[in-house]
Amino acid sequence: MRCGWLDKVSPAGYKPAMNWLSNFVLPKIRAVVAKKPVPDNLWTKCPGCEQMLFHRELEANLHVCRNCGHHLRIGAEQRLKILFGDGGFTRIELPKTLVDPLKFRDRRRYADRLREGQAAVGAGNDAVVVAHGEVGGFPTVVAAFEFRFMGGSMGIAAGEAVLAAAKLAVLQEAALIVVPASGGARMQEGALSLMQMPRTILAADMVKEKGLPYIVVLTDPTTGGVSASFAMVGDITLAEPGAVIGFAGARVIEETIHEKLPDGFQRAEYLFDHGMVDLVVPRAELRAKVGRILGLLREPHPPAAAAVASISREPS
Ligand SMILES: [Zn+2]
């Protein structure tokens, strides 16, 4: 039912009053009453001791837990900053490769997984980042794996990146340092990803044949096809404390051989004890140690082998 007199008296005056209330007063009240959203990335739980770590403190300590010394996984960009330090570095553009060559689909499309990975690490990137600069005063090329990109898996783009890093090292007469953090070959690229194993070995050989140092810094995790190729043929093999390094996972091995594996199996320290790793280096000492090793390899006085042995005897 329409009320004639109200239409005549105040249809125009009534509405603006409501607009003023809903558009101006209500949002103000809501802004005062509503709780401010708390960013959920201020604290990180340490995977080693489960202590909550404040993000700024964690960053200042190079993402190493102050409580238990656990080395948390870091991105490629952080890795480059740690290795090159204040000297800075220049990232190189990597060759474009075939995208989704098999048009692969498992539970989800590979193209979607790639897009998701790029959202995490930046458009146009894949699982390996390459940069050059100086470490300890020596020209150095670093290829660092990005675990956030599909578990650092090695497909064509990653293989191509390692190869590009090797070529750049040869061109600049620089040392090559590769820092793997990878679950292994990228199954979405099938045999093409397995072909990156011999390709990356050839890349390492290219550097060695020129008499340039090839150093590998094994980080958590280095497994599968990556550990079965370029990651295990370094002139010097370093590892971060506690890093898982192996080919097949411990559970798979236990189920296959029906035996309990020893404590610390596939950890950096275990591999050091068994001669597979030359040094276990805490992250805070990494740049200084790498610089010193490069010095010994490039200016070998006294004989490099003896000097490297002397470093490994130092308490870390
Ligand atoms: Zn901890």
Side-chain angles (χ1 to χ4, degrees), residues 22-290:
S22 54
N23 293 347
F24 185 73
V25 177
L26 256 177
K28 288 260 176 196
I29 293 172
R30 281 205 187 110
V32 173
V33 174
K35 281 184 194 162
K36 291 229 163 61
V38 180
D40 54 2
N41 55 358
L42 285 181
W43 296 87
T44 303
K45 195 191 224 178
C46 170
C49 66
E50 304 204 328
Q51 183 150 325
M52 295 305 283
L53 306 167
F54 188 53
H55 74 117
R56 256 185 232 149
E57 202 183 318
L58 193 57
E59 204 159 303
N61 204 32
L62 307 177
H63 292 259
V64 175
C65 173
R66 280 195 194 277
N67 188 41
C68 71
H70 182 88
H71 283 52
L72 283 84
R73 289 172 186 169
I74 55 172
E77 188 74 19
Q78 280 166 314
R79 178 67 61 187
L80 295 174
K81 281 182 188 156
I82 291 170
L83 270 169
F84 287 113
D86 301 331
F89 55 87
T90 311
R91 276 176 68 162
I92 64 159
E93 200 173 318
L94 294 166
K96 295 274 171 282
T97 55
L98 278 176
V99 179
D100 196 3
L102 307 180
K103 303 279 172 252
F104 192 86
R105 184 190 181 111
D106 45 76
R107 272 170 301 166
R108 289 168 55 209
R109 281 169 46 203
Y110 175 38
D112 290 340
R113 290 184 194 272
L114 285 174
R115 221 167 290 139
E116 197 176 275
Q118 291 191 346
V121 302
N125 288 324
D126 199 89
V128 179
V129 168
V130 177
H132 61 100
E134 282 190 355
V135 178
F138 299 96
T140 305
V141 176
V142 175
F145 273 64
E146 186 74 79
F147 191 74
R148 286 177 303 166
F149 194 100
M150 294 191 70
S153 54
M154 183 165 66
I156 303 171
E160 200 68 50
V162 173
L163 202 59
K167 283 181 186 165
L168 184 64
V170 169
L171 198 70
Q172 296 187 337
E173 291 186 24
L176 175 63
I177 301 178
V178 183
V179 190
S182 173
R186 189 174 297 172
M187 61 163 216
Q188 288 87 347
E189 293 185 12
L192 294 167
S193 84
L194 296 179
M195 280 158 63
Q196 307 315 310
M197 293 165 65
R199 284 187 88 209
T200 51
I201 290 279
L202 288 175
D205 282 350
M206 204 191 289
V207 174
K208 291 179 179 188
E209 276 162 19
K210 290 283 174 197
L212 299 163
Y214 172 51
I215 298 175
V216 182
V217 181
L218 302 168
T219 70
D220 186 58
T222 300
T223 56
V226 166
S227 71
S229 58
F230 66 88
M232 287 296 166
V233 295
D235 296 324
I236 304 284
T237 305
L238 310 178
E240 283 202 327
V244 169
I245 302 151
F247 182 65
R251 192 173 48 81
V252 175
I253 298 173
E254 273 187 337
E255 283 171 7
T256 310
I257 63 172
H258 302 293
E259 257 179 63
K260 180 106 185 71
L261 293 166
D263 283 343
F265 181 72
Q266 288 186 331
R267 296 279 169 185
E269 295 75 8
Y270 185 92
L271 270 79
F272 173 72
D273 288 342
H274 292 80
M276 298 283 286
V277 162
D278 295 308
L279 263 182
V280 178
V281 187
R283 200 169 282 166
E285 297 168 23
L286 188 61
R287 186 156 58 95
K289 281 260 157 84
V290 168

